[in-house]
């Protein structure tokens, strides 16, 4: 090819082939033994050989039968959607920069660069399924005895089992329902028991940090590589974690799994009973509160004495039926009142029509008073029966035993895999042999933006777990979906959505996409649920443990249709007033200032009350507040300026941040600064109530 070069080879060892053919690479990808070759600029065929010339000018020779050409996967995708995402990426705020610097045309940002490099999408990737709305499939994974080294409850168990049913599944995780614990059990089974690679990502660094911290707490952090942006990757390799399995032992897994099966059968029913116990406890407390207020009302009524009523079967259900029937009569909604009165007398055994006419309201109030007593008595009996059943079957002991056996199996697998191993990977070389790296670190943590940068080109994770997905926008989420064969989307549609800049709509030429791919109307969670509906398994985590029941019950009634099951702990019971409203002095103190094109909103009076009264004097709910140290206190607010002002005032130990940034974090004491006041502007923004 180049006559100027001299090749000092023995003539017998040289094969000269002059006939050649340049291969058309338009819309095609080149594969060597089913592995894609990236950054290929040219391919030339010489009989049974093919010469690959890369963009770097490097060359490599292959046998032609080792090379295959396949249609470019980007071309197989919905071009309109990819083009739409690429165009938006030019204008969207740089998600990899916490200061959220805006990018304009000609000023290439992180997302813009990533989408320009998105020249290959594997047909097996979840992104391919989502973009083209391909029906979900059952993943290539064995269904075996699932272990729970981090404990579990009924809905968490169902969420775990759903992973085996579809290559895409959804976990709706309301606050305090154990999303992180569920994720830990999932990765224990997938990464260690099934030897799969797992990426855990989120737009929020704090969400993935929770996973790392919990694993570190139990001494399992050596199976995790916390990567992501370049600085974090370098930091990880500067002090790379070494396996520590000295105290783990090899166990007879067959016997342990047999015991686990027995416990599973026993626990399934008891988990339902445990939930039932919590529901009954809530019902009893609700009825007692209603009874308390009704009794106060009842005492203040000037009622005639009506004596003992000959009421048939005065059970709580029978009383409730009468109250419903008589309510229609009292409200005047019955056409033939005399006929309905006779029905009440005959059906319920009221003494006479005369008594009914004269004392209807008194009868209703007396029976309502009796109803509360009988209903609470009935619920108490049911509660005692359930509690007794749990005690007789040693529920807590069985649950603890299940976790201990699961933990033994988990540690045994870790010992077999890591005993005697050391990690010698570096920032410079770890991607050269990605397969060995993920064998040592099967769990990779990253932000959604940086996952593709954390692995070599073309690497596909077996599983992707996307946490806090209600805050993940489609551009960042799609980057992560492009490098995984299966996805578990974890989030909560009732919590805060992603932040998008609607002004971008005016700058892009193509907005005509399906609603499932609309950047402005979807988080990643909503996009997946819209695309697949009930064709993929979805589980809502219902058992809530974190907050005091009185706190979570507000959210439960306001947002979750009373579907959450709040469990009380001893710590909860010690708090007298878990939810406190603290008022500032009268007046409208909200301030808005213009800074460039942006409006900053804050409330100095609220800041002063928080710092000078609530925190310094610790005047909150009761004396227990004095037990909270600064690092156990969090302050949240809807406005960035307010969060920054308070942070400057309280110092570094107490964390102040926006509600979006605080989502997924946990503090023992939270202070919420609304900033809003009673001015017209304040009321206009107060859509929460």
């Amino acid at each position: 090819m180049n006559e100027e070069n001299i090749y000092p080879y023995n003539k017998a060892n040289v094969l000269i082939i002059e006939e050649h053919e340049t291969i058309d690479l338009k819309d095609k990808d080149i594969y060597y033994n089913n592995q894609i070759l990236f950054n290929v600029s040219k391919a030339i065929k010489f009989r049974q050989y093919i010469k690959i010339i890369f963009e770097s000018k490097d060359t490599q020779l292959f046998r032609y039968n080792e090379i295959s050409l396949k249609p470019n996967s980007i071309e197989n995708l919905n071009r309109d959607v990819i083009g739409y995402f690429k165009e938006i990426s030019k204008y969207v705020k740089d998600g990899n920069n916490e200061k959220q610097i805006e990018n304009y045309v000609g000023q290439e940002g992180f997302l813009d660069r990533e989408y320009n490099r998105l020249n290959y999408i594997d047909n097996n990737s979840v992104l391919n399924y989502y973009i083209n709305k391909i029906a979900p499939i059952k993943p290539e994974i064995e269904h075996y005895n699932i272990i729970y080294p981090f404990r579990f409850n009924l809905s968490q168990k169902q969420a775990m089992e759903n992973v085996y049913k579809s290559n895409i599944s959804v976990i709706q995780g309301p606050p305090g329902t154990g999303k992180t614990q569920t994720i830990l059990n999932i990765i224990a089974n997938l990464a260690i028991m099934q030897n799969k690679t797992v990426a855990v990502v989120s737009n929020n660094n704090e969400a993935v940090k929770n996973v790392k911290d919990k694993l570190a707490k139990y001494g399992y952090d050596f199976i995790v590589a916390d990567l992501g942006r370049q600085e974090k990757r370098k930091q990880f390799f500067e002090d790379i974690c070494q396996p520590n399995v000295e105290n783990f032992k090899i166990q007879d897994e067959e016997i342990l799994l047999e015991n686990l099966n027995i416990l599973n059968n026993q626990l399934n029913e008891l988990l339902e009973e445990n939930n039932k116990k919590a529901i009954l406890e809530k019902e009893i407390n609700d009825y007692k509160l209603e009874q308390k207020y009704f009794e106060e009302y009842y005492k203040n009524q000037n009622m005639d004495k009506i004596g003992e009523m000959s009421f048939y079967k005065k059970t709580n259900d029978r009383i409730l039926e009468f109250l419903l029937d008589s309510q229609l009569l009292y409200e005047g909604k019955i056409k033939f009142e005399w006929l309905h009165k006779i029905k009440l007398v005959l059906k319920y055994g009221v003494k006479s029509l005369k008594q009914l006419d004269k004392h209807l309201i008194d009868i209703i109030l007396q029976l309502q008073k009796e109803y509360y007593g009988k209903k609470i008595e009935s619920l108490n009996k049911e509660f005692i029966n359930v509690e007794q059943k749990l005690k007789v079957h040693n529920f807590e002991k069985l649950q603890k035993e299940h976790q201990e056996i699961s933990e033994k199996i988990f540690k045994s697998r870790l010992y077999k895999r890591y005993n005697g191993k050391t990690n010698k990977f570096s920032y410079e070389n770890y991607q050269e042999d990605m397969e060995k790296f993920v064998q040592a670190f099967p769990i990779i943590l990253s932000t959604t933006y940086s996952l593709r940068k954390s692995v070599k080109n073309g690497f596909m994770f077996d599983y992707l777990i996307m946490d806090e997905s209600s805050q993940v926008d489609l551009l960042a989420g799609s980057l992560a979906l492009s490098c995984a064969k299966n996805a578990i989307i974890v989030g909560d549609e009732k919590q805060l959505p992603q932040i998008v800049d609607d002004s971008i709509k005016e700058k892009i030429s193509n907005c005509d996409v399906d609603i499932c791919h609309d950047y402005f109307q979807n988080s990643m969670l909503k996009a997946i649920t819209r695309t697949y509906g009930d064709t993929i398994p979805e589980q809502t985590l219902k058992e809530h443990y974190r907050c005091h029941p009185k706190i979570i019950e507000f959210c439960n009634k306001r947002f979750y249709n009373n579907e959450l099951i709040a469990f009380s702990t001893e710590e909860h019971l010690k708090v007298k007033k878990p939810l406190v409203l603290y008022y500032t002095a009268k007046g409208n103190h909200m301030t808005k200032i213009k800074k460039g094109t942006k409006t900053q909103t804050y409330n100095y009076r609220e800041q002063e009350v928080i710092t000078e009264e609530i925190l310094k004097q610790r005047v909150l709910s009761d004396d227990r507040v004095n037990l909270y140290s600064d690092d156990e206190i969090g302050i949240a607010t809807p406005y960035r300026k307010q969060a920054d002002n308070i942070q400057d005032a309280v110092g570094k130990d107490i964390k102040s941040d926006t509600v979006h940034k605080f989502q997924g974090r946990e503090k023992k004491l939270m202070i919420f600064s609304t900033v809003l006041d009673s001015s017209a502007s304040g009321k206009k923004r107060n859509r929460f109530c």
Side-chain angles (χ1 to χ4, degrees), residues 184-225:
L184 293 177
N185 278 319
I186 289 172
I187 61 181
N189 282 277
L190 294 178
I192 303 305
M193 301 301 291
Q194 292 276 355
N195 201 28
K196 301 293 183 182
T197 54
V198 183
V200 183
V201 300
S202 174
N203 274 21
N204 183 347
N205 272 315
E206 198 67 30
V208 292
K209 184 177 180 293
N210 282 342
V211 174
K212 178 186 174 183
D213 290 347
K214 290 285 174 66
L215 287 170
K217 177 183 175 182
Y218 296 104
Y220 303 136
D221 50 333
F222 59 85
I223 65 177
V224 177

Side-chain angles (χ1 to χ4, degrees), residues 127-285:
L127 181 59
N128 185 42
Y129 277 77
Y130 160 59
I131 294 290
N132 288 322
K133 296 186 176 180
I134 299 171
I137 60 171
K138 190 172 182 180
E140 296 177 0
I141 190 169
E142 298 175 8
H143 193 288
Y144 70 110
N145 293 295
I146 299 170
I147 65 169
Y148 293 93
F150 302 97
R151 297 191 74 165
F152 68 101
N153 56 42
L154 199 60
S155 57
Q156 290 172 353
K157 181 175 182 287
Q158 185 58 56
M160 178 75 243
E161 291 173 352
N162 284 346
V163 172
Y164 296 85
K165 297 176 182 177
S166 171
N167 62 326
I168 304 171
S169 63
V170 170
I171 300 174
Q172 295 273 5
T177 53
K179 283 183 295 182
T180 302
Q181 184 169 291
T182 307
I183 290 170
L184 293 177
N185 278 319
I186 289 172
I187 61 181
N189 282 277
L190 294 178
I192 303 305
M193 301 301 291
Q194 292 276 355
N195 201 28
K196 301 293 183 182
T197 54
V198 183
V200 183
V201 300
S202 174
N203 274 21
N204 183 347
N205 272 315
E206 198 67 30
V208 292
K209 184 177 180 293
N210 282 342
V211 174
K212 178 186 174 183
D213 290 347
K214 290 285 174 66
L215 287 170
K217 177 183 175 182
Y218 296 104
Y220 303 136
D221 50 333
F222 59 85
I223 65 177
V224 177
D226 189 8
L227 305 180
R229 65 182 187 274
Q230 188 180 52
E231 306 93 272
K232 284 195 74 178
R233 297 201 301 273
K234 286 182 177 179
Q235 184 180 352
F236 171 77
F237 287 101
E238 282 174 6
D239 187 23
I240 192 167
C241 198
Q242 297 297 336
N244 182 12
V245 293
E246 289 179 7
N247 297 324
F248 301 172
K249 297 177 182 177
I250 294 179
Q251 304 282 345
D252 188 335
E253 286 188 23
E254 194 172 330
I255 293 175
L256 290 175
L257 288 171
E258 283 179 13
N259 293 335
L260 210 61
N261 268 331
I262 295 169
L263 287 172
N264 278 333
N265 294 331
Q266 293 174 302
L267 279 173
N268 283 339
E269 184 182 351
L270 294 177
L271 285 167
E272 291 185 14
E273 292 294 313
N274 193 47
N275 282 3
K276 186 178 178 181
K277 177 187 170 185
I279 293 169
L280 285 168
E281 186 175 22
K282 175 187 175 296
E283 280 191 80
I284 291 167
N285 290 332

Side-chain angles (χ1 to χ4, degrees), residues 52-69:
I52 303 297
I53 303 171
F54 297 93
E55 291 175 0
S56 63
K57 307 300 181 185
D58 292 334
T59 64
Q60 197 167 351
L61 196 65
F62 300 90
R63 290 188 179 277
Y64 189 70
N65 60 7
E66 297 173 332
I67 295 294
S68 59
L69 297 178

Side-chain angles (χ1 to χ4, degrees), residues 375-607:
K375 184 64 178 177
I376 292 169
E377 182 184 358
S378 172
L379 289 172
N380 272 326
K381 284 180 181 178
E382 196 175 355
F383 178 84
I384 291 168
N385 287 338
V386 172
E387 190 175 44
Q388 191 62 29
K389 184 175 181 180
L390 291 170
K391 284 182 180 178
V392 167
H393 290 88
N394 295 312
F395 170 66
E396 290 185 3
K397 182 182 176 184
L398 293 178
Q399 202 175 30
K400 185 179 178 183
E401 190 178 342
H402 192 287
Q403 182 193 4
E404 288 173 350
I405 292 175
S406 294
E407 198 172 1
K408 285 179 181 178
I409 296 171
F410 185 58
K411 287 183 174 180
S412 178
R413 288 291 181 96
L414 289 173
Y415 187 86
K416 291 174 185 176
R417 182 166 177 168
Y418 288 98
N419 186 40
K421 301 286 179 65
T422 56
N423 293 321
K424 298 179 181 178
F425 304 99
S426 68
Y427 172 77
E428 291 75 20
N429 71 17
Y430 82 99
Q431 289 190 9
E432 293 174 8
D433 197 342
M434 200 70 206
E435 284 67 28
K436 281 188 178 178
F437 180 75
V438 293
Q439 183 62 23
F441 297 100
I443 302 159
I444 306 293
L445 306 182
S446 172
T447 59
T448 48
Y449 301 95
S450 301
L451 183 63
R452 285 174 63 91
K453 302 286 268 182
S454 297
V455 295
K456 71 176 182 181
N457 281 340
F459 181 82
M460 290 285 288
F461 287 95
D462 294 311
Y463 279 84
L464 173 81
I465 301 175
M466 187 180 292
D467 197 9
E468 298 292 353
S469 57
S470 67
Q471 287 193 341
V472 175
D473 62 273
L474 295 195
L475 265 63
S478 294
L479 286 176
L481 294 182
S482 71
C483 47
K485 300 173 188 174
N486 304 275
I488 302 157
I489 309 299
V490 185
D492 181 10
E493 287 182 342
K494 302 291 196 304
Q495 291 189 52
L496 293 168
Q498 81 286 9
I499 298 175
V500 296
D501 183 357
D502 285 330
S503 68
I504 295 172
K505 287 182 184 178
E506 302 168 3
K507 302 172 186 177
I508 60 176
S509 57
N510 176 23
C511 282
D512 187 22
V513 292
D514 187 284
I515 190 170
C516 299
H517 303 128
D518 191 321
Y519 170 78
F520 302 97
Q521 295 192 49
N522 292 292
S523 65
M524 201 71 247
L525 173 61
K526 185 173 283 188
I528 292 296
T529 55
R530 269 182 169 160
T531 302
Y532 290 106
D534 58 6
T535 63
I536 58 173
E538 179 177 329
Q539 177 64 39
T540 298
L541 305 180
K542 296 179 180 179
E543 296 87 343
H544 178 93
Y545 304 92
R546 182 191 299 162
C547 301
H548 191 287
K550 288 184 179 178
I551 296 175
I552 195 60
E553 275 310 307
F554 169 78
C555 303
N556 196 13
K557 291 174 182 176
R558 182 75 171 77
F559 301 106
Y560 295 103
N561 301 316
N562 270 332
E563 293 177 359
L564 302 186
I565 304 168
F567 284 81
S568 298
T569 66
E570 289 184 9
E571 188 173 350
H572 291 151
L573 298 175
K574 292 175 183 176
V575 180
K576 298 172 187 175
K577 296 178 182 178
L579 189 62
V580 176
L581 295 177
Y582 200 94
Y583 295 96
T584 62
K586 286 186 178 181
N588 294 325
H589 307 290
M590 184 177 77
T591 303
K592 292 193 293 182
I593 58 171
K594 278 272 188 181
K595 200 165 186 179
T597 59
K598 295 182 179 180
T599 300
Q600 296 183 334
T601 307
Y602 63 95
N603 188 318
Y604 180 75
R605 183 70 185 110
E606 280 189 17
Q607 173 193 327

Side-chain angles (χ1 to χ4, degrees), residues 588-632:
N588 294 325
H589 307 290
M590 184 177 77
T591 303
K592 292 193 293 182
I593 58 171
K594 278 272 188 181
K595 200 165 186 179
T597 59
K598 295 182 179 180
T599 300
Q600 296 183 334
T601 307
Y602 63 95
N603 188 318
Y604 180 75
R605 183 70 185 110
E606 280 189 17
Q607 173 193 327
E608 194 175 45
V609 166
I610 289 169
T611 56
E612 300 302 318
E613 296 179 29
I614 295 176
L615 290 176
K616 281 190 178 178
Q617 299 176 30
R618 291 295 202 256
V619 285
L620 283 174
S621 57
D622 53 44
D623 291 340
R624 277 180 50 76
V625 75
N626 294 310
L627 300 178
Y628 296 123
S629 58
D630 284 355
D631 62 354
E632 294 175 322

